Amino acid sequence: MKVVRLGMVAGLSVLTVAALALPAMVAGFKAAYPKIPAESALMKAGCATCHVPKSTKLNPYGADLKKALEAAKTKKLTADVLKKIESLDSDKDGVKNGEEIKKGTLPGDPKSK
Ligand SMILES: [Ca+2]
């Protein structure tokens, strides 16, 4: 019983951290890219820009972004950090991250390009 309760507490903590961290990340992303097409998949993606939907797991774009944040020794998502991975094609769909963002497609999802 104790183990189950401990697991629930740990699970809640993970959810709380995610809920606190992600809106700031989404806000940082949208501030860096104010011209994302309004009705695009990217504009609707929110957390799924960098994460596997409904998960804290990172998609390939999120993983590259994490590396860039670590290299810049920051946790704050800025335009400078985002620019560093624009020339990559994180999801390997043949379209570079920067181009995908301009078009409003998902840089971490190879089915979106
Ligand atoms: Ca893509």
Side-chain angles (χ1 to χ4, degrees):
M1 201 54 182
K2 235 180 197 168
V3 174
V4 171
R5 215 177 294 151
L6 210 65
M8 283 171 64
V9 169
L12 276 176
S13 304
V14 168
L15 284 178
T16 306
V17 168
L20 287 175
L22 296 179
M25 290 303 221
V26 172
F29 186 88
K30 288 189 173 168
Y33 297 113
K35 292 180 182 164
I36 299 170
E39 292 302 308
S40 65
L42 183 57
M43 199 52 148
K44 291 174 189 158
C47 304
T49 303
C50 297
H51 293 265
V52 175
K54 293 173 188 158
S55 158
T56 55
K57 249 181 85 179
L58 294 168
N59 66 30
Y61 178 73
D64 281 340
L65 189 53
K66 186 182 178 198
K67 277 185 226 157
L69 285 165
E70 285 168 357
K73 295 186 170 48
T74 181
K75 287 183 177 167
K76 195 165 183 257
L77 199 53
T78 62
D80 281 348
V81 175
L82 286 160
K83 280 206 175 77
K84 285 186 181 138
I85 61 166
E86 282 183 354
S87 61
L88 304 178
D89 175 12
S90 295
D91 59 10
K92 312 277 184 234
D93 62 3
V95 186
K96 292 195 163 90
N97 296 338
E99 287 173 52
E100 292 222 48
I101 292 163
K102 230 178 260 166
K103 288 187 351 187
T105 58
L106 303 174
D109 179 356
K111 285 175 280 177
S112 169
K113 60 181 175 180

